Amino acid sequence: MVHRIKKMLIVNRGEIARRIMRSAHNMGISTVAVYADGDVNEPFVSEADQAVSLDGETSLETYLNQNKVLVAAKSTGVDAIHPGYGFLSENKTFAASVIEAGIIWVGPSVNAIAQMGDKLSSKSLMIKAGVPTLPSIEIAKGADIVKLALDIGYPLLVKASAGGGGKGMRIVLTETELLEAVESARREAATAFGDDRIFLERWLASSRHIEIQVFGDHHGNLVHCFERECSIQRRHQKIIEEAPSSVVTEELRQKMGDAAVAAAKAIDYYSAGTVEFLVDGKDFWFLEMNTRLQVEHPVTEEITGIDLVREQIRIAQGQRLGFKQNDITIDGHAIEARVYAEDPKQDFLPTSGRLLLFERSSLADARYDTGVETGSTIGIEFDPMLAKVIVHAPTREEAALRLARVLETTRIKGITSNRDFLVEVLRTQAFLDGDTTTDFIERFDPPRNWSPSRSDVVEASIAAAMVAQGDRRAKAKVLSSLPSGWRNSEMPPETVVYLFQGEMFVLDYQSQRDGSYSVSIDNRDLSVAIKHRDGREIALEIQGRLVPFTVLVEDNLWFVHGPMGQIELYEEPRFPDPSATDVGGGLSAPMPGNVVATYVSRGESVIEGQLLIILEGMKMEHRIESPHSGFIEQMFVVEGDQVSNGQILAVLSKNLDPNAFKK
């Protein structure tokens, strides 16, 4: 029997909430959003037909609060609930509560979630189904962890049983790292999933992460939609995904597809699901099954032409699959890059703040799945993904190179992101050659950011100076009709100083009678003319060459996006800030977050590399270690404190005399 959905609540946020709304609206279904306090002004809230506040800030207070979500669903009279991915998407208790409330659950059965949601029980099922699996064992309370690790063998992976998205995972190479990794993984798993159960699994340092998309309906039909390769990862989390895989042969595709369908049949699966494997040559091992939509589902949509969200909703209504196995074919190649608010140069630590500009590239065809817009705020409570950018092309190389160029011309200002790192990865010869194992980043170490040439910095400085003088002229209260820089006598040129990566660029400019400017910078004398100006967009003719720029300024920081990428310049103020201070030996927070634990106190001696503080932000932990031996001169935080990015946590002195710290 078909139960038509008229109104659907989406228990999620950001890009996935918008993605689900898009398909729902196209199907004539009304949508309801729920939101945390910090998300009230985000696009997914305004794009829903209705929105309900969950009255809280954290995940536990909002998107993970089952009672609040169910109250919102009942108060808005929805027919169905779609969980997206993450949060409650694989929570068997919530799925059961939705069904008991008489609301359609857009997902698999409670039994399937229960069996596959627990990573350990799912492995047992796969062994019975004849699917190859890696050795693993649960760490029960009070267990001899050292002995269990020896039984598995090093290297191994500490992994959250209810995990996903790289949370609650730690690679352990030796016994000395084991206990601390277990403790840290437990804490992170409890924070991210509300479940601190963890297990040990054999770690394959250099393999490929390849997954199979499966789909089933309530009528016993079950198919696979080929593979996605997700081997390019950092922090055990995928950042570049593609379909199909460059190494999967027709024979291996058939074997893995059959294994994935067998895994799904073993639990009478329906809805969208993904069976993940580790692949080494012709051998593959079951990793886990995700009983939900995946972040990287767009690449499958691009090569098959199937709207996976639409198909999920159709199945939830009781309809049959809209296709059979023989109907599905591979068309071309698709690659997706996840753009995160994070700093690749700081070990990919999350960043936060307000997006001064987020502007999609118009250079070439690309799909953007994004939850942000210009003005959006990236906080510390949720995943810092800004967008998924997807390109579909006839060949893999064309897809990679086009995606690199699209990312390069995507304007992101105000927040440090991994955009430039993704560009470098996509253009790495090893990536283009298909040498994409899970240790790709460690093996090839692509540049963490784009390094502009001196000419790029010079031209960015010129663009900033031309915008600045134009803005000053527009704000002038007297003689506003005169051209910028006009003088009735011979005067020295205007001077502005920019800093880029610690280097000073002194720029002198003087207006000419024909409206152009004579510019001197970096021992070069240049002729510059403003050919077009429209808000933040400016086109300059520099020595006869027309160059377009996008320019924004925030305080003394200039964001200049030119033809080859983005450059950030600091304009040196004319007078120094008398309130500025420097804390010698200060250890500052590399990201905003909460102080999980402190291990030292004032006056205590420490050695180089010693763990001092653990911060938790955006569901990830970061260790603050001593950069050298010495004494803790000051300690400014305690467990439970919330800190901002750059806040001084402690002051470490190189003074080795303990008497210097006696009270």
Side-chain angles (χ1 to χ4, degrees), residues 614-625:
I614 291 181
L615 285 182
E616 189 271 331
M618 296 177 180
K619 299 182 183 178
M620 294 195 308
E621 288 192 353
H622 180 69
R623 298 160 55 93
I624 307 296
E625 299 176 348

Side-chain angles (χ1 to χ4, degrees), residues 15 19 85 211 228-232 238-243 294-302 333-340 367-369 385 387-392 399-400 403-404 407 418 422 425-426 431:
E15 57 88 15
R19 167 68 190 91
Y85 46 70
E211 59 193 32
R228 298 185 287 257
E229 178 162 347
C230 314
S231 301
I232 308 298
K238 309 159 189 174
I239 54 173
I240 294 177
E241 300 103 343
E242 58 182 305
Q294 291 277 91
V295 178
E296 57 273 19
H297 76 274
V299 293
T300 296
E301 293 184 322
E302 293 298 317
H333 202 97
I335 305 180
E336 170 184 291
R338 302 189 194 185
V339 182
Y340 281 99
R367 166 179 168 178
Y368 284 76
D369 282 11
M385 183 190 290
K388 301 180 305 193
V389 185
I390 307 102
V391 160
H392 177 236
L403 180 55
L407 288 168
N418 68 337
L422 294 170
V425 170
L426 290 164
F431 182 88

Side-chain angles (χ1 to χ4, degrees), residues 207-502:
S207 58
R208 291 176 185 263
H209 187 132
I210 297 178
E211 59 193 32
I212 304 290
Q213 176 73 57
V214 295
F215 246 110
D217 62 22
H218 294 273
H219 305 278
N221 300 305
L222 193 67
V223 300
H224 69 81
C225 301
F226 310 119
E227 82 278 1
R228 298 185 287 257
E229 178 162 347
C230 314
S231 301
I232 308 298
Q233 305 177 6
R234 53 92 183 100
R235 293 183 177 274
H236 314 299
Q237 191 175 46
K238 309 159 189 174
I239 54 173
I240 294 177
E241 300 103 343
E242 58 182 305
S245 168
S246 62
V247 296
V248 172
T249 62
E250 282 299 328
E251 180 183 2
L252 183 57
R253 179 173 293 122
Q254 184 69 46
K255 288 181 178 179
M256 293 179 69
D258 289 346
V261 170
K265 281 183 177 177
I267 54 172
D268 298 322
Y269 196 82
Y270 55 81
S271 192
T274 303
V275 184
E276 302 193 354
F277 298 98
L278 289 179
V279 178
D280 186 4
K282 296 181 179 180
D283 299 319
F284 60 92
W285 296 270
F286 173 81
L287 186 61
E288 62 186 21
M289 181 175 183
N290 292 306
T291 53
R292 54 171 168 79
L293 200 65
Q294 291 277 91
V295 178
E296 57 273 19
H297 76 274
V299 293
T300 296
E301 293 184 322
E302 293 298 317
I303 66 165
T304 62
I306 299 171
D307 182 335
L308 299 189
V309 176
R310 173 180 176 271
E311 206 63 32
Q312 269 191 308
I313 296 171
R314 291 184 69 257
I315 290 168
Q317 292 182 140
Q319 294 172 286
R320 293 179 180 272
L321 270 175
F323 45 83
K324 297 179 181 179
Q325 189 67 65
N326 291 338
D327 298 328
I328 312 169
T329 58
I330 296 175
D331 174 26
H333 202 97
I335 305 180
E336 170 184 291
R338 302 189 194 185
V339 182
Y340 281 99
E342 64 183 20
D343 189 350
K345 292 185 293 183
Q346 298 295 324
D347 196 26
F348 302 98
L349 284 177
T351 57
S352 63
R354 187 170 67 89
L355 271 172
L356 301 179
L357 178 67
F358 183 86
E359 190 172 271
R360 306 177 184 199
S361 172
S362 58
L363 189 72
D365 292 337
R367 166 179 168 178
Y368 284 76
D369 282 11
T370 176
V372 300
E373 292 179 346
T374 297
S376 290
T377 298
I378 311 303
I380 65 172
E381 296 297 342
F382 306 110
D383 189 273
M385 183 190 290
L386 302 178
K388 301 180 305 193
V389 185
I390 307 102
V391 160
H392 177 236
T395 67
R396 182 176 183 274
E397 181 171 296
E398 185 177 339
L401 295 178
R402 189 202 305 171
L403 180 55
R405 187 62 179 139
V406 165
L407 288 168
E408 194 171 53
T409 51
T410 298
R411 294 168 171 83
I412 303 171
K413 304 181 191 296
I415 289 180
T416 300
S417 77
N418 68 337
R419 179 199 53 202
D420 293 345
F421 175 73
L422 294 170
V423 172
E424 297 290 350
V425 170
L426 290 164
R427 287 180 175 157
T428 300
Q429 190 59 48
F431 182 88
L432 295 174
D433 291 340
D435 189 2
T436 53
T437 52
T438 53
D439 59 348
F440 179 92
I441 293 175
E442 290 74 20
R443 283 197 298 134
F444 297 106
D445 192 24
R448 298 300 171 98
N449 64 323
W450 171 58
S451 297
S453 66
R454 290 192 71 86
S455 293
D456 291 325
V457 180
V458 164
E459 292 186 353
S461 301
I462 295 172
M466 292 298 99
V467 167
Q469 62 81 27
D471 289 348
R472 287 193 296 270
R473 172 63 7 204
K475 294 175 183 177
K477 298 185 184 300
V478 295
L479 303 176
S480 58
S481 62
L482 294 179
S484 176
W486 182 89
R487 300 289 187 272
N488 62 359
S489 62
E490 187 68 26
M491 297 289 286
E494 298 286 327
T495 299
V496 61
V497 178
Y498 296 108
L499 296 179
F500 176 74
Q501 296 182 352

Side-chain angles (χ1 to χ4, degrees), residues 478-595:
V478 295
L479 303 176
S480 58
S481 62
L482 294 179
S484 176
W486 182 89
R487 300 289 187 272
N488 62 359
S489 62
E490 187 68 26
M491 297 289 286
E494 298 286 327
T495 299
V496 61
V497 178
Y498 296 108
L499 296 179
F500 176 74
Q501 296 182 352
E503 188 171 357
M504 185 179 296
F505 287 78
V506 180
L507 183 148
D508 296 327
Y509 67 91
Q510 195 167 37
S511 63
Q512 305 298 301
R513 291 186 180 275
D514 63 358
S516 67
Y517 293 84
S518 174
V519 175
S520 177
I521 180 174
D522 203 34
N523 297 317
R524 298 169 63 186
D525 294 321
L526 304 168
S527 174
V528 177
I530 299 174
K531 306 303 290 183
H532 175 73
R533 172 79 192 278
D534 182 11
R536 61 177 180 260
E537 308 295 332
I538 188 169
L540 301 178
E541 187 178 89
I542 303 175
Q543 292 294 99
R545 184 169 57 92
L546 191 64
V547 189
F549 297 93
T550 302
V551 182
L552 275 97
V553 62
E554 182 84 355
D555 297 325
N556 287 346
L557 193 62
W558 289 87
F559 303 90
V560 183
H561 202 124
M564 298 309 296
Q566 181 172 302
I567 295 174
E568 297 183 11
L569 303 169
Y570 177 77
E571 182 179 352
E572 194 171 76
R574 182 171 298 181
F575 303 105
D577 182 358
S579 65
T581 59
D582 179 32
V583 181
L587 300 174
S588 59
M591 63 179 181
N594 301 311
V595 178

Side-chain angles (χ1 to χ4, degrees), residues 163-183:
K167 306 294 191 302
M169 294 175 64
R170 301 288 186 275
I171 296 173
V172 177
L173 303 179
T174 65
E175 186 177 311
T176 56
E177 307 168 15
L178 180 63
L179 296 181
E180 185 179 317
V182 168
E183 180 184 346

